[in-house]
Amino acid sequence: MKRYQLQAKSIIETLPFITEFFGKTIVIKYGGNAMIDEDLKRAFALNIILLKYIGINPVVVHGGGPQIGKMLKALNIESHFREGYRVTDQATMDVVEMVLVGKVNKEIVNLINLHGGEAVGLSGKDGRLIMAEPKELAVEKKDAPPEIIDLGKVGEVTSVNTKLIHSLLNDGFIPVIAPVGVDKDGATYNINADSVAGAVATALGAKRLYLLTDVPGLLDAEGELVTSLTAKEAFEAIRSGVVTGGMIPKITCCLEAVAGVEKSAIIDGRVENCILLELFTKSGIGTEIIY
């Protein structure tokens, strides 16, 4: 009986959070080890389904870099990166779209549906959901003009058409979005999933944006977790070099979204039920960025 009483108490403690987020939209970027480990995959699906059942609207945006790399290797298509971006020619773009839209997206949809949810898979081409343009990348060089890097079919979001997403949410479905966009002429682009998640969250006016990663969050110079940052503090952390490597685009994504989203957070996707822990506890987990 004591165990059941503790369970009941835990449920009651979530009530203020459920009240706060009821009817609101939360965008979750799904990637990293949470997409690979079977226990974490199941926990993710159950977290998403629970949110929907208690009146919160989850929207999932997913990555798929390792899966793309594996398929390119199997097809003997050489792949290389510049400044963290996969240079994407047309042959690579065909594989990217095949893997992200045809394989990874449908696996996530099936995972959610298998555990009792109702998910629908989308790419940026559906309903012209994600409009894009070629990404311009210039690398500063000491005592020399900036180097302009041609990334091929790598794109950046220019606009998000939320009509289809709202329609699905209103009908009780969970949208699952692959980060593939299209330009005005119909050309397809490979877009960073964090950037797509941020753009979608901003366009929807989401209550929260969560980026699942394979690290606890942002660590300071002493290796301690930074639990909260203002936008100003986040800019300074990038400028001073506290934020480095793959954390830079994630913090930048949160900064770009924070003006339209109440709060963004980078959370550890390796922690089981990380979404519920962030959403329904006072301290949360990971690093939050607020305006």
Side-chain angles (χ1 to χ4, degrees), residues 58-76:
V59 176
V60 178
V61 177
H62 65 83
Q67 293 90 335
I68 293 169
K70 185 177 180 180
M71 182 61 74
L72 288 170
K73 185 176 180 180
L75 295 173
N76 293 316

Side-chain angles (χ1 to χ4, degrees), residues 47 212 267-269 271-279 285:
N47 279 208
L212 271 60
I267 60 179
D268 194 343
V271 176
E272 192 170 357
N273 299 316
C274 61
I275 297 169
L276 300 185
L277 289 169
E278 172 62 30
L279 198 58
I285 62 173

Side-chain angles (χ1 to χ4, degrees), residues 2-228:
K2 188 174 182 180
R3 179 165 64 91
Y4 295 136
Q5 287 175 331
L6 289 173
Q7 288 178 346
K9 183 179 179 182
S10 296
I11 293 170
I12 291 297
E13 287 175 350
T14 66
L15 184 57
F17 302 103
I18 293 173
T19 301
E20 179 183 0
F21 294 109
F22 183 82
K24 301 297 192 297
T25 298
I26 295 173
V27 176
I28 300 133
K29 187 269 179 166
Y30 180 43
N33 199 54
M35 282 180 64
I36 299 170
D37 182 275
E38 291 300 324
D39 290 335
L40 293 176
K41 286 164 64 175
R42 179 178 181 275
F44 172 80
L46 292 175
N47 279 208
I48 295 298
I49 293 165
L50 177 62
L51 295 184
K52 192 66 178 178
Y53 271 115
I54 62 176
I56 299 171
N57 293 317
V59 176
V60 178
V61 177
H62 65 83
Q67 293 90 335
I68 293 169
K70 185 177 180 180
M71 182 61 74
L72 288 170
K73 185 176 180 180
L75 295 173
N76 293 316
I77 298 176
E78 187 177 350
S79 182
H80 60 282
F81 291 80
R82 294 296 305 273
E83 304 301 317
Y85 292 94
R86 187 189 303 275
V87 178
T88 307
D89 59 14
Q90 188 57 56
T92 303
M93 186 65 241
D94 290 342
V95 173
V96 167
E97 186 171 15
M98 176 179 67
V99 172
L100 288 179
V101 181
K103 187 175 189 296
V104 177
N105 185 272
K106 300 315 173 189
E107 287 177 351
I108 298 169
V109 167
N110 188 52
L111 178 71
I112 294 172
N113 292 345
L114 184 64
H115 287 89
E118 290 188 306
V120 174
L122 303 169
S123 80
K125 289 183 173 181
D126 295 304
R128 296 174 72 83
L129 173 62
I130 301 169
M131 300 303 295
E133 64 183 9
K135 183 172 182 62
E136 297 181 357
L137 185 63
V139 178
E140 297 293 333
K141 291 196 169 186
K142 187 177 181 181
D143 302 323
E147 179 188 3
I148 307 300
I149 298 175
D150 182 7
L151 296 170
K153 293 291 185 177
V154 174
E156 55 188 3
V157 180
T158 58
S159 65
V160 177
N161 180 359
T162 61
K163 183 177 179 181
L164 181 55
I165 299 175
H166 282 304
S167 178
L168 289 171
L169 291 175
N170 290 337
D171 285 338
F173 292 101
I174 299 166
V176 179
I177 302 171
V180 172
V182 63
D183 69 12
K184 58 183 177 61
D185 297 318
T188 309
Y189 290 89
N190 177 22
I191 310 176
N192 176 272
D194 292 336
S195 297
V196 171
V200 168
T202 301
L204 290 171
K207 181 81 169 176
R208 293 286 188 274
L209 167 64
Y210 293 146
L211 305 180
L212 271 60
T213 70
D214 284 341
V215 294
L218 176 64
L219 305 180
D220 63 19
E222 284 73 43
E224 297 295 323
L225 178 66
V226 178
T227 57
S228 184

Side-chain angles (χ1 to χ4, degrees), residues 194 211 217-218 229 231 233-235 237-238 243-244 246-257 264 266 287-289:
D194 292 336
L211 305 180
L218 176 64
L229 285 171
E233 290 169 338
F235 275 118
I238 293 175
V243 180
T244 59
M247 189 58 69
I248 293 176
K250 294 187 184 299
I251 295 291
T252 301
C253 169
C254 290
L255 284 170
E256 291 172 349
S264 301
I266 298 167
T287 301
E288 67 174 17
I289 298 177

